[in-house]
Amino acid sequence: MTIPLEFGLDTFGDVTKDALGAPLPHAQVIRNVVEEAVLADQLGIDFIGVGEHHRADFAISSPETVLAAIAARTNRIRLGSAVTVLSSDDPIRVYQRFATVDAVSGGRAEVILGRGSFTESFPLFGFDLRQYEALFEEKLDLFAELLKQEAVNWQGKLRPPLDNQRVFPPIEHGRLKTWIGVGGSPESVVRAAHYDLPLMLAIIGGDPKRFASYVDLYHRAFKQFDRPVKPIGVHSPGYVADSDAQAREELWPDYKTMRDRIGKERGWPPMGRDEFVQEADHGSLYVGSPETVARKIAATVKALGIARFQLKYSAGPLPHEKLMRSIELYGRKVVPLVRDMLA
């Protein structure tokens, strides 16, 4: 690996449960996410990503606000989204909000731009789902212009043009680190290369090695554009406990709750234990003891040549206390083990 491997954590602010099994208020979940990020910073984890959702089972609809709160409590961890749904937002406002997080954090902000796996934000903010592709393509094109930190002259089809407009605040040093989040579309992979942006692969099911073709496509696209290739990252779900058996028993009921709730909306059958075990053994679910999770991460790093691995550590109503323990094991044991395995 020519780029040092980075380790991150992602959360969607899943609404967790209290000691009696009742859902916590969204406000408490948000405060707990801040505490989880503070712990990650203390453990030396490189990145914390906060998702954007607009539905009852996830507490965070404004990632940048939460990231600003985290910035005030941390010193070194990089702060980003996971992902920002650019299609249903204004690129200029997204840029300004993350530039502000970058300022208050002393240059630690990142943004991962994507189309998101949920569509609630489209009717909420008055966007037509029939323009799903067009909205993202045009808004990404504008965002790429903003990254140049120059007066913007730009014209699209879905909003008025910009004529020599300046956008504030500017990034203090360098430029805002911006990734493109991709769930499995070859067009999105090529689009990331076209805009000279790093690629974050959301691998949430199946053998991670099946994404090797996307990695190859990304490299070939950069070669065609005659530019040095940018880093690739992977976002996948997981959970760490002291033993494999403990990790599976603790994660299974809450993971199933989350998976079945989403699956009911999308027409999927309920998740069976066999499917869970298959994902844990051979798929993209990084669940187990620190040694088991580390071996699986190391295998993915080797197979795909990635520069960052981001563990989506929250899973439905899985309690905050268990998430904190998982984060502690990830930072104290998994990360050093992976580095040793790859040395």
Side-chain angles (χ1 to χ4, degrees):
M1 290 178 297
T2 58
I3 301 173
L5 180 63
E6 296 179 341
F7 293 86
L9 290 166
D10 290 338
T11 177
F12 296 166
D14 307 56
V15 173
T16 51
K17 57 190 177 185
D18 62 18
L20 299 177
L24 289 174
H26 284 68
Q28 184 60 54
V29 173
I30 291 171
R31 290 190 289 269
N32 287 347
V33 167
V34 175
E35 295 302 324
E36 291 156 13
V38 169
L39 175 61
D41 182 60
Q42 294 169 349
L43 293 168
I45 293 167
D46 298 299
F47 174 84
I48 183 76
V50 178
E52 173 199 345
H53 295 86
H54 305 272
R55 45 187 290 134
D57 44 347
F58 300 114
I60 298 172
S61 60
S62 177
E64 306 92 336
T65 309
V66 177
L67 293 172
I70 294 170
R73 299 274 309 279
T74 57
N75 297 307
R76 59 169 301 280
I77 195 167
R78 295 191 63 81
L79 313 166
S81 56
V83 299
T84 293
V85 186
L86 187 64
S87 310
S88 56
D89 210 331
D90 182 276
I92 295 174
R93 294 296 287 143
V94 171
Y95 186 88
Q96 290 176 321
R97 295 194 299 261
F98 277 92
T100 302
V101 173
D102 195 71
V104 299
S105 67
R108 291 185 280 139
E110 300 184 9
V111 59
I112 303 177
L113 303 175
R115 289 172 290 186
S117 60
F118 296 91
T119 59
E120 288 86 358
S121 62
F122 286 82
L124 182 63
F125 299 120
F127 292 99
D128 189 344
L129 267 173
R130 291 173 296 183
Q131 295 181 316
Y132 185 81
E133 292 286 345
L135 284 165
F136 185 74
E137 290 176 5
E138 181 166 303
K139 292 184 179 190
L140 178 59
D141 189 64
L142 173 53
F143 200 92
E145 291 298 312
L146 300 173
L147 289 174
K148 298 175 182 177
Q149 301 198 86
E150 301 170 350
V152 179
N153 292 283
W154 177 91
Q155 185 168 351
K157 297 179 180 179
L158 302 175
R159 62 164 291 160
L162 296 170
D163 183 14
N164 205 38
Q165 293 286 326
R166 305 287 305 194
V167 176
F168 302 98
I171 300 296
E172 188 174 20
H173 302 292
R175 73 180 218 168
L176 178 65
K177 186 165 186 177
T178 302
W179 302 70
I180 299 296
V182 175
S185 162
E187 294 79 11
S188 295
V189 172
V190 174
R191 186 184 293 122
H194 170 75
Y195 287 109
D196 200 24
L197 296 174
L199 181 72
M200 183 60 63
L201 295 169
I203 307 178
I204 59 175
D207 187 344
K209 292 190 290 293
R210 66 193 174 91
F211 277 74
S213 60
Y214 294 105
V215 172
D216 178 64
L217 175 61
Y218 188 64
H219 281 261
R220 286 190 286 113
F222 269 96
K223 185 175 182 180
Q224 184 173 336
F225 294 133
D226 196 25
R227 292 196 295 260
V229 69
K230 286 291 191 290
I232 299 173
V234 164
H235 153 107
S236 288
Y239 179 70
V240 192
D242 291 295
S243 70
D244 289 350
Q246 179 186 349
R248 293 190 183 200
E249 288 308 310
E250 289 183 353
L251 179 63
W252 158 244
D254 294 321
Y255 191 85
K256 175 177 170 58
T257 296
M258 174 189 67
R259 167 64 167 71
D260 288 354
R261 182 174 56 234
I262 296 170
K264 186 176 181 181
E265 299 171 1
R266 302 183 180 184
W268 302 340
M271 186 179 210
R273 185 65 185 250
D274 289 349
E275 182 183 349
F276 175 79
V277 170
Q278 172 68 20
E279 280 296 327
D281 287 345
H282 307 292
S284 298
L285 185 56
Y286 295 74
V287 56
S289 68
E291 294 77 11
T292 295
V293 173
R295 283 194 298 270
K296 196 164 187 177
I297 292 173
T300 297
V301 173
K302 290 178 181 178
L304 302 180
I306 61 175
R308 181 188 288 175
F309 181 86
Q310 296 177 194
L311 184 78
K312 198 270 186 180
Y313 67 91
S314 58
L318 191 65
H320 168 63
E321 293 73 20
K322 291 182 179 178
L323 298 180
M324 292 288 274
R325 177 61 177 162
S326 181
I327 291 168
E328 182 179 5
L329 290 171
Y330 181 73
R332 293 194 188 281
K333 295 189 176 183
V334 173
V335 170
L337 281 168
V338 176
R339 294 198 189 282
D340 287 346
M341 291 173 185
L342 296 174

